[in-house]
Amino acid sequence: GVLHISTPDAVEDKQKTHLYEEIYQAKKKIRKNIAENNKDLLLKIYDERSAKEFEGPYVEKSFKEIKNRQIKNTCLGLLSELDTPEIQKLIKKQLENPKSATDKIAAFSLYISTSASDKSEVIKNYELKAKDNLIEWEQYLSIIASNDSDDTLNLVKEVMNSENFDISQANDQRALLMRFAF
C-alpha cells in the first residue's frame, strides 16, 4: 500500500495545528525531495505498475487492481512535484489513455497543478466532456477547486464564469465553492 508514504495535512501538536502555510510548504518540500532523490526508482515503479495485469475472480482481481493503481498514482503524484516537461508528458499520457476512471481523475488533478503550457486547453476539453455527466461534472469541479497550482483562484473564477456552472445547483456549490473553501 501507500499509507506509509502519505503525509497528513494535520499535526497533533496543538501549538503547530494552525500553521497551515508552514505545514503545506514542509509537505511540498518533503515530496519534492523524495521525487528528486528517487526519480529513477519512482519511474521504474510507475512503469511496472502501469504494465501490470491481474487475473482471478472479479473481487480478488479488483482488489489487486485498486492497490496497484494506488501505488502507481502515488508514484506519479510524487514525480509531479518535479514539474518537468518529461513528467508533464507522462501525466498527460495517462490522462489521455487511462486504464480506469481513477487514473483519469488522478492524472487530470496532477496535470492542472503543473506549469504545462497547454493546461488551459486541457481544462476546457475536460469540462466539455464532463458537463454532460453529473458525477464527472462534480468531480471536475472538485478537482479544479482543490488543485495545487499557483493559479487556483483564477481557475475557480473561470469555472464560475463558465456557462456550464450553475450557482443555483447545490452540487455545483458544494463541489466548487465548498471544496475551494476547505
Side-chain angles (χ1 to χ4, degrees):
V2 296
L3 188 59
H4 64 284
I5 60 171
S6 66
T7 24
D9 292 325
V11 294
E12 293 180 20
D13 184 340
K14 297 269 188 236
Q15 293 187 356
K16 295 178 181 161
T17 300
H18 300 291
L19 299 174
Y20 305 113
E21 183 65 22
E22 291 84 351
I23 292 169
Y24 171 79
Q25 292 301 333
K27 181 178 176 178
K28 293 285 288 178
K29 188 175 181 178
I30 290 167
R31 290 175 56 84
K32 187 168 186 174
N33 193 286
I34 290 169
E36 287 173 341
N37 292 318
N38 299 283
K39 179 184 172 192
D40 292 337
L41 177 60
L42 290 167
L43 284 168
K44 180 181 179 227
I45 294 170
Y46 176 82
D47 289 340
E48 287 172 356
R49 295 297 175 150
S50 293
K52 200 163 192 140
E53 297 286 332
F54 297 96
E55 294 182 13
Y58 178 78
V59 173
E60 182 180 314
K61 180 182 173 192
S62 295
F63 178 75
K64 290 176 183 176
E65 288 171 341
I66 290 167
K67 295 300 253 180
N68 189 65
R69 275 195 303 275
Q70 287 176 330
I71 294 168
K72 177 181 74 170
N73 288 324
T74 297
C75 288
L76 192 60
L78 288 168
L79 288 165
S80 74
E81 296 294 338
L82 301 174
D83 198 18
T84 63
E86 172 194 12
I87 301 301
Q88 292 170 3
K89 185 177 177 181
L90 185 64
I91 296 168
K92 191 169 184 183
K93 180 181 174 188
Q94 180 171 308
L95 176 61
E96 292 173 343
N97 303 296
K99 290 186 176 181
S100 68
T102 303
D103 283 352
K104 181 179 177 182
I105 291 166
F108 179 65
S109 178
L110 293 172
Y111 199 75
I112 68 169
S113 295
T114 70
S115 61
S117 60
D118 65 341
K119 183 167 76 167
S120 294
E121 179 185 328
V122 168
I123 291 170
K124 192 45 107 177
N125 289 337
Y126 199 101
E127 178 182 347
L128 292 174
K129 292 175 186 171
K131 71 179 182 155
D132 296 324
N133 179 311
L134 290 177
I135 294 170
E136 196 169 4
W137 175 247
E138 195 163 340
Q139 288 174 334
Y140 165 78
L141 294 175
S142 294
I143 291 168
I144 293 292
S146 63
N147 85 79
D148 200 23
S149 66
D150 292 337
D151 59 348
T152 301
L153 183 57
N154 291 336
L155 295 176
V156 169
K157 287 178 180 179
E158 284 177 31
V159 170
M160 286 182 69
N161 291 325
S162 166
E163 63 185 35
N164 299 311
F165 181 77
D166 187 351
I167 191 72
S168 67
Q169 294 297 312
N171 65 317
D172 284 18
Q173 297 167 16
R174 179 179 54 248
L176 186 68
L177 303 175
M178 286 180 63
R179 184 76 185 247
F180 176 73
F182 289 138

